[in-house]
Amino acid sequence: MLVGSAVRRVAIVGGVRIPFARAYSAYATASNQDMLTAAFRGLVERFHLEGQRLGDVAAGAVIKHTRDYNLVRECVLSSGLDPHTPGLDMQRACGTSLEAAIDIGNKIALGQIEAGIAGGTDSISDAPIVFPRSYQQLLLASYRGRTAWQRLSPWFGLRPRHFKPVLPAVVEPRTGLSMGQSAEIMAKAWKIERLDQDQFAYDSHVKAAAAWTAGFYDDLVVEYAGLQRDNNVRADTTPEKLAKLRPSFADSGTLTAGNSTPLTDGASAVLLATPEWAAQRNLPVLAYLRYGKAWAVDFATGKEGLLMAPTYAVPAMLRDAGLTLQDFDYYEIHEAFAAQVLCTLKAWESPDYCRDVLGLPAALGGIDQARLNVKGGSVAVGHPFAATGTRILGTLAKILATDSRSKRGLISVCAAGGLGVTAIVER
């Protein structure tokens, strides 16, 4: 999707998120609605939007209760915005909030709205727990009964197994594999070594810890539930400590709890607008959202790696923009797993992959990894599935705004279902 071809520019005014927390820790009793509302409120307070009507608010969650069928609208009603502000629930797995930002951006670019919010939230701690479908069918059969006997007879089929709860599982329905197991297959196919994964994870923690110490996140993160900082960042970790961890997804595998993203609770949001709307309110413009692209891969047949869709989306987006992979000052690649990022980078450097799979005349080439995830990535900060895209977008916009020499940054987010969402942000 080409945001940049439209008439109006899409300004990124700024982002706000609550600290990201390891599952079952600080937000153990918080819901998606609680957390997303907190992120929206933080944004409203930061940019003095109390009582204002925005054109639209798009956000979502990957793991939702049935009670959250209108999640975003409910959060808007508690955010401090004018209650006439609409709300839209979206879901594209881990790419949800970046996709929401592209959606809001396109509405702004096309002249449909002047300003809007994109965001996302997810809670592992408050995951929905349901009873087996067989029990549901029994209940419905009884409910449909017209006579006393028809309502009673289904209950004779009640068995103890009906009371065994069913927990949500982060596995692919088509393959039955978890994301970690799928990433193990990718790491093996691309020959990604454990040592390199651990070093990548170590760097993520070091950069995130340094960013917190330097105060970079102070105006991007608002306190929530007594938590002031991301509680997964390990400033004291070392490659030696990471090397001692056992494989998490295969006995002889290379992916561990240390070089994989932790299960995380959290929420984030970004304010987007026309430059004129921002200027009228004396609000900053940190950067501009210029291009976006979504893609998918054929992972279910085993032909392609589950998390390789960004390898397609990025070159397609580069063609739209007339850019090369090296034309960026900063790169933000979502760290679902250290191995996944390393697979993606290796694929772009491979002439064979770029020619035979992507249909390119030559390899995209490498990037300067000193410019990659410079304030830490998902391995260190955490990954509340739907919240990661706008966490990255807000971070990158601030990075560009605080570096007068920079021109643009690239965002790449892989997602469950063999999906990928990417974007280009410019000063």
Side-chain angles (χ1 to χ4, degrees), residues 157-173:
L158 188 65
R159 297 291 183 271
R161 67 176 182 274
H162 290 136
F163 298 101
K164 183 180 180 181
V166 178
L167 299 172
V170 187
V171 299
E172 291 295 332

Side-chain angles (χ1 to χ4, degrees), residues 244-319:
K244 294 178 181 179
L245 298 175
R246 295 180 179 178
S248 297
F249 305 104
D251 291 340
S252 58
T254 58
L255 276 69
T256 70
N259 59 39
S260 305
T261 298
L263 294 174
T264 314
D265 304 331
S268 66
V270 168
L271 176 62
L272 304 170
T274 64
E276 294 78 14
W277 185 94
Q280 289 169 3
R281 290 159 179 80
N282 294 316
L283 295 177
V285 173
L286 301 183
Y288 295 91
L289 178 60
R290 290 287 292 150
Y291 295 86
K293 187 73 71 175
W295 212 273
V297 292
D298 181 13
F299 75 96
T301 62
K303 291 172 60 177
E304 299 182 278
L306 175 69
L307 304 177
M308 296 297 283
T311 64
Y312 288 82
V314 166
M317 186 173 63
L318 293 176
R319 285 196 297 271

